[in-house]
Amino acid sequence: MKSINYLGLVMAFLTIALFSCGEEEIQPTSKSKFDTEHQSDVPAECSISGSNDAERNSTGNYTMTTELIYPFYNWSIVSGDISIVSGSSSSTVSLSFGPNFSGGIIECEAIGELNSCAERFVIDEMVTCTPPSISIYQVKEFCPGENFNFWGITSDNSEDGYYDWTVSSGAAILSGQGTKYLRVESYPESGRFSVSLVHTSTTCPNYPTSTMKYADFRADCEGGPFY
């Protein structure tokens, strides 16, 4: 009788032990442990926020948002007259838009311990004004070796802004640089020369306008006519 009870106890103990081991084998892994082990299998998500447009000669900040833990950031310029002022390796970057900015693309890559993500962001040009057009008027015809006078005429007939004059070889500026009235000395042996003008308006300074004109000579000039 005692031997039978002893055998029963042994069988009961083995049954409990086997059942306990089975429970441990099929016990599901915790969510946090699963996420950590399989994080590299799931593509990371990231996005860039900031203004969708920018003016020339302005600055702006853009921020990369991601679920990665303690990522390393790498900002770059894909296209456009854009330069990085600061923050090229942080979540927020400061950008400068140059005088020739007409739209561009920026990119940021966020690199985590197990995976990474990259995002591009398109920035359009913000045009807030329309500059006046410019033309050159010659006051009177002369011959080589004489002085010529030119006016810069804007489409709105304004006097404002800066007038940047240049002349080709064969002539030299005597006075008027920076103003709308230009006086030019021509060289006797030069013949034909050209005058160029870039006008920067005070009301629309980010969009200078330009034009060019060949000097007009009198028909009876020695060595002429000059075309």
Side-chain angles (χ1 to χ4, degrees), residues 137-214:
Y137 171 73
Q138 183 175 325
V139 177
K140 188 178 178 181
E141 295 177 350
F142 292 95
C143 291
E146 297 181 304
N147 296 335
F148 289 67
N149 298 298
F150 300 92
W151 286 4
I153 309 297
T154 60
S155 57
D156 60 358
N157 295 316
S158 64
E159 299 280 343
D160 74 330
Y162 183 79
Y163 296 76
D164 185 13
W165 298 90
T166 56
V167 296
S168 64
S169 59
I173 295 176
L174 291 175
S175 62
Q177 180 64 277
T179 72
K180 68 183 303 179
Y181 306 103
L182 184 72
R183 188 168 178 80
V184 174
E185 175 189 11
S186 66
Y187 303 143
E189 70 282 0
S190 64
R192 197 181 193 202
F193 66 92
S194 63
V195 179
S196 300
L197 173 61
V198 177
H199 175 249
T200 303
S201 170
T202 56
T203 58
C204 198
N206 292 331
Y207 300 92
T209 54
S210 62
T211 189
M212 185 272 287
K213 173 182 173 56
Y214 284 101

Side-chain angles (χ1 to χ4, degrees), residues 40-88:
S40 60
D41 299 332
V42 181
E45 294 184 0
C46 56
S47 62
I48 297 175
S49 60
S51 178
N52 292 318
D53 47 28
E55 291 185 81
R56 295 181 180 183
N57 298 313
S58 66
T59 59
N61 294 331
Y62 292 81
T63 300
M64 166 74 99
T65 302
T66 177
E67 296 178 348
L68 296 174
I69 301 175
Y70 304 119
F72 169 79
Y73 297 92
N74 182 28
W75 291 88
S76 60
I77 307 301
V78 179
S79 64
D81 185 13
I82 310 171
S83 57
I84 296 176
V85 178
S86 62
S88 60

Side-chain angles (χ1 to χ4, degrees), residues 28-44 67-69 113-115:
T29 306
S30 66
K31 183 179 183 305
S32 60
K33 183 178 180 181
F34 178 84
D35 290 344
T36 301
E37 292 177 349
H38 296 273
Q39 186 177 7
S40 60
D41 299 332
V42 181
E67 296 178 348
L68 296 174
I69 301 175
E113 182 179 354
L114 298 176
N115 54 7

Side-chain angles (χ1 to χ4, degrees), residues 1 43 65 96 119 145 188 214:
M1 185 69 177
T65 302
S96 175
E119 184 78 1
Y214 284 101

Side-chain angles (χ1 to χ4, degrees), residues 109-137:
E109 183 181 17
I111 304 172
E113 182 179 354
L114 298 176
N115 54 7
S116 62
C117 63
E119 184 78 1
R120 288 189 172 187
F121 192 85
V122 177
I123 306 173
D124 297 320
E125 179 188 8
M126 179 191 297
V127 180
T128 58
C129 62
T130 301
S133 60
I134 188 75
S135 60
I136 299 174
Y137 171 73

